[in-house]
Amino acid sequence: MAESDNRVVDALSRKFQFAAVLVVSTADWEGIEEEVQQDPKLQGIIQDLIQGREIVVGYEWRNGRLLYHGRLVISKHSKWIPKFLQQFHDSKIGGHSGFFRTYKRISGVLFWDGMKGTIMEYVKQY
């Protein structure tokens, strides 16, 4: 399939990523980064990466942010998780589309420990 044959799918996936960027950009970046700094597990990963030890596969430290397979890492205790869940599930863009689609949308741009379970519980409630 040529790149031009997949424009609709590409446009849709970019729409969801754009929505995520809007939510993240309106969030308090300093607050998100502070939560990461206060998470002992994430701090250990960051220190390992800064010191050149890639003990946990898939993580990278880029431009002052922790990424996991290219996705922004947030603390599993982040106060922003409910906002992300609402945006990706309850909003017009999310469309209450169930666990799998909500998970795919969120996991395309964000990562936190236990996110699959968190998303599953949220979708069951709403």
Side-chain angles (χ1 to χ4, degrees):
M1 178 182 290
E3 185 177 326
S4 61
D5 294 340
N6 203 16
R7 286 186 183 169
V8 173
V9 173
D10 189 43
L12 287 174
S13 62
R14 285 189 181 162
K15 180 178 180 181
F16 292 123
Q17 288 179 348
F18 180 70
V21 170
L22 286 177
V23 172
V24 173
S25 66
T26 59
D28 178 7
W29 273 111
E30 291 175 5
I32 291 173
E33 291 173 352
E34 185 177 310
E35 290 173 342
V36 170
Q37 297 294 326
Q38 292 175 355
D39 188 305
K41 180 179 180 182
L42 298 179
Q43 265 312 292
I45 293 169
I46 291 168
Q47 290 306 312
D48 286 341
L49 292 170
I50 289 172
Q51 294 173 6
R53 297 180 300 213
E54 291 190 36
I55 295 173
V56 185
V57 177
Y59 285 93
E60 67 178 300
W61 183 248
R62 188 185 328 152
N63 298 325
R65 294 207 169 88
L66 183 61
L67 303 176
Y68 181 72
H69 292 290
R71 301 173 287 164
L72 178 66
V73 176
I74 62 174
S75 171
K76 68 180 179 180
H77 306 291
S78 176
K79 68 180 181 180
W80 298 103
I81 290 174
K83 182 177 271 196
F84 296 133
L85 291 168
Q86 187 279 327
Q87 178 69 25
F88 284 96
H89 181 261
D90 302 348
S91 70
K92 289 180 182 179
I93 290 172
H96 291 272
S97 52
F99 164 73
F100 183 73
R101 288 186 180 165
T102 302
Y103 174 75
K104 293 303 278 182
R105 288 179 188 137
I106 294 174
S107 67
V109 291
L110 297 171
F111 175 80
W112 67 86
D113 278 342
M115 70 184 287
K116 191 178 265 187
T118 303
I119 295 167
M120 191 174 291
E121 285 302 312
Y122 183 86
V123 170
K124 281 182 188 177
Q125 292 177 3
Y126 298 96

